[in-house]
Amino acid sequence: MYNDRILQYNYETMETELKNIGDQYKGKIWIDSLGKSFDNREIYRIIVGNRKAENKILFTGAIHGREYMTAKLLIKQTEKFLCNSCENKAVCSNRAVYVIPMVNPDGVALSHRGVDGIRSLRLRKRILEIREKEMGKTEEKEYFMKWKANARGVDLNRNFDAFWEKYQLEKREPASEKYKGEYPESELETRILAELTRKERFCATVSYHSSGEVVYWDFGQKGKLRKETKMFAERIGNVTGYELVEGWDKTDPAGYKDWALLKMHIPSVTVEIGKGKSPLYASEFPEIWEKNKNVWENIYDVM
């Protein structure tokens, strides 16, 4: 079971695909790095469209290590959109799509290869200490496969300044999941994403996660922002068939979508792909693709 899953989509596969897409669509796509993770991996950014456009939308994936299928989906969406835009040259003239396919590359490496996927000896030691505290001497083959946090044991989607201080900690120290960090934006990856959002002032953001086939859009926002966010979520729900979830008081706060709504006042949603437990099996991807392949085209004109 473990080996079957780790043969799916990893950081190196993503790098290869980014190079291929960059070569094929030279002049139509811009790929760079926003910085490096704690284990010295690039956090890649893709821009499709007019880089100087005021109207910009952001897609992110794999903020949780075990949810790496979201990165695969975003790369495939990018390629499809580029192919379509070649036929319709006007489609990208006054808009831009930003994509960060793998916010947490170290977590993905851990989910794929366990501690052997970590380059830094210091980080390896830290991760093994986390494992021993969480598991003791018990052997659990799927422990690392289910890893959500970054290489420092911080759950990046609990590290944003959106009721962070009120979040009741399930974990009070570094862990494989659900540890919110020492303070908001304590992590390189979180800070990179927040700083980009503050700089670019996106018209909307979409955070891809797995799993559940739902769209989260509600964080208690009111007025125009609430109306716009719900309409945005409905567009995604209509094309994917995913259920919209209203109400937020029973869900954990301090995620990126929460912060983008609360502090930046940007219509933002979290889209949960797949039905099974993460990491999802490769056999689920064809259905996920069919449901999500037209998302970009159906929300592009909201910008």
Side-chain angles (χ1 to χ4, degrees):
M1 181 184 295
Y2 187 87
N3 288 335
D4 177 58
R5 295 195 189 196
I6 66 171
L7 292 174
Q8 288 188 52
Y9 199 86
N10 58 27
Y11 175 77
E12 291 75 18
T13 304
M14 180 189 69
E15 281 196 314
T16 299
E17 291 194 351
L18 285 175
K19 183 181 184 306
N20 292 340
I21 293 172
D23 290 343
Q24 183 176 355
Y25 295 99
K26 194 168 293 184
K28 295 181 179 296
I29 184 172
W30 291 265
I31 301 170
D32 63 2
S33 172
L34 294 167
K36 293 191 175 183
S37 66
F38 286 103
D39 201 37
N40 204 36
R41 291 180 176 86
E42 306 289 353
I43 299 175
Y44 287 104
R45 169 178 60 177
I46 304 165
I47 305 176
V48 180
N50 182 357
R51 286 180 293 175
K52 298 181 180 179
E54 292 185 7
N55 299 322
K56 294 166 281 196
I57 190 167
L58 173 68
F59 288 85
T60 65
I63 198 169
H64 286 145
R66 70 190 188 192
E67 299 174 16
Y68 46 79
M69 190 177 282
T70 57
K72 179 177 181 176
L73 174 62
L74 284 167
I75 297 295
K76 195 169 176 67
Q77 286 175 324
T78 301
E79 189 169 17
K80 177 178 180 290
F81 192 73
L82 281 164
C83 182
N84 291 344
S85 68
C86 285
E87 298 174 5
N88 181 6
K89 295 182 179 180
V91 74
C92 293
S93 61
N94 62 345
R95 297 179 175 91
V97 181
Y98 283 57
V99 185
I100 307 176
M102 196 174 285
V103 178
N104 182 11
D106 298 344
V108 171
L110 271 164
S111 183
H112 274 272
R113 297 172 55 200
V115 72
D116 291 338
I118 298 302
R119 301 162 175 172
S120 164
L121 293 179
R122 177 181 58 82
L123 287 172
R124 282 191 184 193
K125 181 180 178 182
R126 181 187 185 112
I127 290 162
L128 289 172
E129 289 171 352
I130 291 171
R131 184 199 175 282
E132 185 169 351
K133 286 182 179 179
E134 290 196 306
M135 300 300 299
K137 300 299 182 182
T138 304
E139 288 293 329
E140 172 55 70
K141 291 182 179 179
E142 294 190 356
Y143 174 76
F144 286 117
M145 186 180 77
K146 296 176 181 177
W147 189 279
K148 291 178 73 175
N150 70 352
R152 286 174 15 108
V154 176
D155 189 326
L156 298 178
N157 209 44
R158 298 288 168 258
N159 191 235
F160 290 90
D161 188 15
F163 299 136
W164 180 93
E165 68 288 347
K166 296 181 180 179
Y167 175 39
Q168 297 299 312
L169 293 170
E170 291 191 36
K171 302 289 178 67
R172 298 183 179 274
E173 59 185 359
S176 59
E177 62 178 317
K178 298 184 179 180
Y179 172 59
K180 68 180 185 179
E182 295 180 4
Y183 53 87
E185 297 180 35
S186 62
E187 305 308 291
L188 287 171
E189 302 94 338
T190 314
R191 207 153 53 241
I192 283 171
L193 186 51
E195 287 175 356
L196 177 71
T197 306
R198 283 190 282 261
K199 177 184 177 183
E200 300 296 346
R201 304 294 300 190
F202 297 106
C203 297
T205 78
V206 178
S207 302
Y208 267 114
H209 285 251
S210 66
S211 56
E213 295 199 329
V214 296
V215 181
Y216 293 105
W217 63 274
D218 185 6
F219 199 65
Q221 68 271 36
K222 300 183 184 300
K224 181 182 178 183
L225 179 60
R226 185 174 186 82
K227 181 179 179 181
E228 289 179 346
T229 308
K230 187 174 184 180
M231 290 176 63
F232 183 55
E234 285 172 343
R235 286 200 173 201
I236 295 175
N238 288 339
V239 70
T240 60
Y242 295 170
E243 177 187 359
L244 270 62
V245 177
E246 188 165 357
W248 63 279
D249 54 325
K250 294 183 180 179
T251 60
D252 293 334
Y256 173 74
K257 177 266 294 177
D258 310 331
W259 172 79
L261 282 165
L262 182 68
K263 295 298 177 72
M264 303 301 294
H265 311 295
I266 300 170
S268 298
V269 300
T270 293
V271 180
E272 300 273 359
I273 64 170
K275 299 173 183 175
K277 294 181 179 180
S278 294
L280 299 169
Y281 283 100
S283 58
E284 289 194 58
F285 188 75
E287 181 180 347
I288 289 168
W289 172 243
E290 283 302 312
K291 291 180 177 181
N292 287 270
K293 66 182 181 181
N294 294 320
V295 166
W296 288 29
E297 288 82 358
N298 276 270
I299 65 174
Y300 192 66
D301 62 347
V302 304
M303 296 187 292

